[in-house]
Amino acid sequence: MEPCRVLLVDDEEEFVTTLAERLRLRGMEAKVATSGEEAMRILESVPAHVVVLDVLLPGMGGLEVLRRIRAKHPQIQVILLTGRGSDQEAREGLSLGAMDYLIKPIQLEELIRKIREVAPCAARERL
């Protein structure tokens, strides 16, 4: 069975590295990017099933990264995760194709449940 491939994009390196390790312990393949530009480079070489994307990134912001993912990799599911959310930002992200809009802090089990809800690999895991 193919494990879920998850790309975590957040400029808080310690947070995202720790989160990746926890996802790996749960059987997922987790990669890390600390900028939108790095995320797009990784997706060109290693496609992910799900991208968990911080909205507030330096340089290319999370919503712009989402637009580019939708344009180049429409099969990839995106979950937005932010520390400072707003209704307008949530509406914009969801209208751009994000599957969900989550606010930090989030419990690990909740994030894993969301990933499994949206990831095509999760459907295979449930069989």
Side-chain angles (χ1 to χ4, degrees), residues 33-94:
T34 56
S35 70
E37 293 84 355
E38 183 181 13
M40 295 309 297
R41 281 193 301 274
I42 290 172
L43 290 175
E44 289 301 320
S45 60
V46 184
H49 294 112
V50 179
V51 173
V52 178
L53 177 62
D54 187 12
V55 176
L56 298 174
L57 293 170
M60 186 191 314
L63 294 178
E64 179 58 27
V65 175
L66 173 59
R67 283 185 191 91
R68 292 181 186 204
I69 291 172
R70 295 269 58 90
K72 295 184 95 176
H73 310 281
Q75 76 283 4
I76 296 174
Q77 306 302 319
V78 177
I79 298 171
L80 295 172
L81 180 63
T82 186
R84 291 183 288 162
S86 72
D87 290 342
Q88 179 181 353
E89 192 177 72
R91 281 192 299 273
E92 184 175 357
L94 294 172

Side-chain angles (χ1 to χ4, degrees), residues 3 15 18 30 38 45 52 60 69 84 99 104 108 111 118:
F15 165 75
T18 301
E38 183 181 13
S45 60
V52 178
M60 186 191 314
I69 291 172
R84 291 183 288 162
M99 298 303 292
K104 296 176 192 171
L108 180 63
L111 181 59
V118 302

Side-chain angles (χ1 to χ4, degrees), residues 96-111:
L96 290 170
M99 298 303 292
D100 213 330
Y101 183 89
L102 306 174
I103 305 293
K104 296 176 192 171
I106 185 168
Q107 295 294 315
L108 180 63
E109 294 305 321
E110 173 73 8
L111 181 59

